[in-house]
Amino acid sequence: MASLTVSDEQVRANPAKVIQPAWVRVMHWVNALAMILMILSGWQIYNASPLFGFSFPREYTLGGWLGGGLLWHFAAMWLLMVNGLAYLVTGFATGRFRKKLLPITPSGVLHDVRAALTFKLGHDDLSVYNYVQRTLYAGIIVIGVLIVLTGLGMWKPVQLHWLVSLFGDYPTARYIHFFCMAAICAFLVIHVLLALLVPKSLRAMIIGR
Amino acid sequence: MAKRSFLIPGVDKRLLIKDSIKTMPDVTRRRFIAGGASLGALTLLTGCDVVDSSSAENMLARISKFNDSVQAFIFNPDALAPTFPESAITKPFPFNAYYDLDDAPDVSAADWKLEVRGLVDNKKSWTLDELYKLPQVSQITRHICVEGWSAIGSWTGTPLRDFLKLIGADTRAKYVWFQCADKDGYNSPLDMRSALHPQTQMTFKYANEILPRAYGFPMKIRVPTKLGFKNPKYVVSMEVTNDYKGGYWEDQGYNSFSGS
């Protein structure tokens, strides 16, 4: 994994150059693909027995029918889990999470949300995340962990029933799984919108600088 | 929880109609391939040409087989499915099948016999009266459907492992393969370790009453460590075998292990 050899030391030494190290970029896009596969196949599975009074439009589901949706879901889960685990391990081990996402203070968040809503939030230095970004990125990591754990619990409610009881019971885990999906979709919309508003950030996530 | 309307006790009419339409074998079964083909990005990951839909299908089938072995690996034969108090029982317990209840097998108790085949010492068929005389146990467990809904029910019958021992089954064989009385000949393979699980049961009673037609009279195989479709109803024969003979839903793409 040559891509992992770009350390944060190198980033600091040359901050103007590399904003997003290669491992972040690779894992980001693998995650994006895995998430989209999981969401679209998950909608297919949801439609088989909707939790609420609506179904997802057929055109936005993956798999064609329940069996196909399940095949996609249980195939993409490996991509999501392996990539997600590698991301968490690397994020903690390199100190990137600590350096980029902390601290998150209520006053900082309030200030930057206000600034963002009035389009006064600066993006001069893309290597430093503002409080809106920190909150969103840290939050989505927590949601990501939660959706995988509830998913594992629903996949193996007997073998992993300790995990299911952590969330209450099987139906509750199913609701939490759904709401995490909804949160990820909401994040996706905001994330893509903000990335389009600051095109330099999208470029950094593709070519690194 | 989703509100379902139950018109007939034990029968979820809405679910029933919805399912019979949705799960009928038709061309849409094959549409998951088209879904795969539209994802060009997948080519990057798999190296296979997803425009060629059979590649996507093959890839998914291969991963599903891999998932079978992962599930067999993490299957703990001693781990028991959670049991519940009577107050937790779902009332009424839903009927669910690919056919309407009116089309469900109407088995005559007098004519019915359980056929025993394959790698067993004693291949005699069993009448219902003979089976009813075997020691029975009760359990209240959660039935989890492949669709995602679940319901808690009370089941009484003979542990399958006791019966397999009684008939001198070769428990080193890979599968117990069940065949059912419905018109399409529903069948399903059960891996031997799951068949020998202490909670896997030849069920003759629901809620302490003779198993109603809706739930598989005269005999259902209740496997709390599997998804619902691996719990065959209206069972007419069991075969102890080393051959993978496929199953009604397994052949259409549902994961064969489908353990819970």
Side-chain angles (χ1 to χ4, degrees):
Chain A
M1 290 275 269
S3 58
L4 293 179
T5 56
V6 179
S7 67
D8 279 8
E9 274 69 34
Q10 282 166 273
V11 176
R12 258 201 308 279
N14 200 351
K17 290 219 96 167
V18 178
I19 297 163
Q20 306 291 3
W23 68 267
V24 170
R25 284 179 277 141
V26 170
M27 290 179 188
H28 171 269
W29 291 112
V30 171
N31 183 59
L33 173 67
M35 278 290 186
I36 286 166
L37 291 177
M38 290 305 273
I39 290 169
L40 298 183
S41 58
W43 288 358
Q44 182 82 54
I45 298 166
Y46 168 97
N47 284 354
S49 180
L51 282 170
F52 303 99
F54 70 92
S55 293
F56 292 98
R58 249 197 106 81
E59 310 83 75
Y60 299 112
T61 62
L62 179 61
W65 72 292
L66 174 60
L70 289 163
L71 285 176
W72 278 109
H73 210 64
F74 293 139
M77 77 174 179
W78 293 109
L79 194 62
L80 182 74
M81 283 216 304
V82 170
N83 187 63
L85 263 179
Y87 177 70
L88 286 181
V89 168
T90 324
F92 282 114
T94 58
R96 183 182 163 88
F97 287 168
R98 187 171 37 81
K99 275 177 271 180
K100 292 277 188 179
L101 303 179
L102 295 178
I104 299 173
T105 60
S107 59
V109 174
L110 268 177
H111 174 271
D112 280 1
V113 166
R114 206 171 296 142
L117 291 176
T118 50
F119 296 99
K120 283 177 192 149
L121 198 58
H123 288 280
D124 310 325
D125 185 0
L126 285 176
S127 65
V128 177
Y129 290 152
N130 61 54
Y131 283 95
V132 173
Q133 286 176 299
R134 289 180 196 189
T135 311
L136 285 176
Y137 300 158
I140 205 66
I141 291 171
V142 173
I143 298 280
V145 169
L146 209 54
I147 203 166
V148 168
L149 291 182
T150 48
L152 281 174
M154 287 158 64
W155 186 46
K156 291 284 156 275
V158 174
Q159 305 304 328
L160 305 176
H161 65 80
W162 55 271
L163 189 58
V164 179
S165 26
L166 203 68
F167 298 110
D169 57 9
Y170 177 86
T172 315
R174 205 172 156 223
Y175 277 97
I176 298 174
H177 197 69
F178 178 90
F179 288 123
C180 286
M181 178 279 296
I184 290 169
C185 291
F187 171 84
L188 256 172
V189 171
I190 297 169
H191 187 56
V192 170
L193 264 177
L194 292 179
L196 292 176
L197 283 173
V198 189
K200 275 187 299 175
S201 65
L202 181 61
R203 195 190 67 177
M205 195 46 92
I206 295 169
I207 62 168
R209 58 196 73 185
Chain B
M1 233 178 288
K3 291 277 172 288
R4 303 185 182 287
S5 52
F6 297 97
L7 297 182
I8 311 168
V11 179
D12 180 344
K13 202 79 179 173
R14 196 176 64 101
L15 197 98
L16 191 152
I17 296 163
K18 185 194 67 169
D19 280 353
S20 48
I21 295 165
K22 186 187 62 216
T23 59
M24 271 303 164
D26 64 21
V27 285
T28 61
R29 280 290 157 67
R30 294 277 144 189
R31 241 190 258 164
F32 74 93
I33 297 160
S38 67
L39 284 154
L42 208 72
T43 318
L44 296 171
L45 284 167
T46 60
C48 60
D49 177 13
V50 280
V51 179
D52 169 13
S53 57
S54 69
S55 303
E57 193 186 3
N58 286 341
M59 177 202 70
L60 292 173
R62 268 208 307 277
I63 298 175
S64 189
K65 273 209 157 173
F66 167 71
N67 284 341
D68 279 337
S69 37
V70 171
Q71 293 177 86
F73 178 75
I74 62 178
F75 176 77
N76 175 358
D78 300 322
L80 296 182
T83 52
F84 299 86
E86 278 197 28
S87 57
I89 291 174
T90 307
K91 286 177 186 160
F93 191 87
F95 165 82
N96 191 39
Y98 64 89
Y99 40 77
D100 194 281
L101 182 57
D102 295 339
D103 297 326
D106 200 356
V107 176
S108 147
D111 300 338
W112 182 86
K113 274 189 174 178
L114 175 69
E115 201 188 317
V116 174
R117 289 182 278 122
L119 305 168
V120 295
D121 291 337
N122 189 351
K123 291 193 177 69
K124 99 174 198 69
S125 294
W126 291 70
T127 65
L128 203 47
D129 281 342
E130 288 170 326
L131 289 172
Y132 281 166
K133 287 188 187 115
L134 299 173
Q136 299 189 10
V137 291
S138 292
Q139 64 191 23
I140 299 174
T141 48
R142 185 186 292 279
H143 169 111
I144 294 174
C145 181
V146 66
E147 294 178 345
W149 59 266
S150 69
I152 295 171
S154 163
W155 316 95
T156 302
T158 302
L160 179 61
R161 66 175 182 182
D162 293 352
F163 185 73
L164 290 173
K165 202 172 159 190
L166 189 67
I167 61 175
D170 181 358
T171 52
R172 292 163 307 172
K174 284 186 188 158
Y175 305 99
V176 183
W177 189 60
F178 297 98
Q179 281 185 293
C180 306
D182 62 272
K183 61 182 187 318
D184 294 320
Y186 194 101
N187 49 41
S188 187
L190 186 63
D191 58 283
M192 184 58 79
R193 290 202 306 155
S194 298
L196 295 174
H197 186 274
Q199 288 170 312
T200 300
Q201 186 187 78
M202 295 162 76
T203 299
F204 303 117
K205 284 182 177 171
Y206 181 81
N208 297 318
E209 309 263 333
I210 293 293
L211 197 65
R213 182 180 166 206
Y215 305 154
F217 179 84
M219 188 177 92
K220 170 192 175 75
I221 304 296
R222 172 73 190 127
V223 195
T225 53
K226 295 282 188 200
L227 294 180
F229 80 94
K230 301 284 293 187
N231 290 233
K233 301 178 280 192
Y234 320 100
V235 174
V236 293
S237 80
M238 65 169 79
E239 179 175 346
V240 177
T241 174
N242 278 314
D243 301 327
Y244 180 77
K245 292 172 185 269
Y248 180 85
W249 286 116
E250 290 84 346
D251 294 348
Q252 297 178 58
Y254 282 160
N255 176 266
S256 186
F257 196 89
S258 285
S260 66

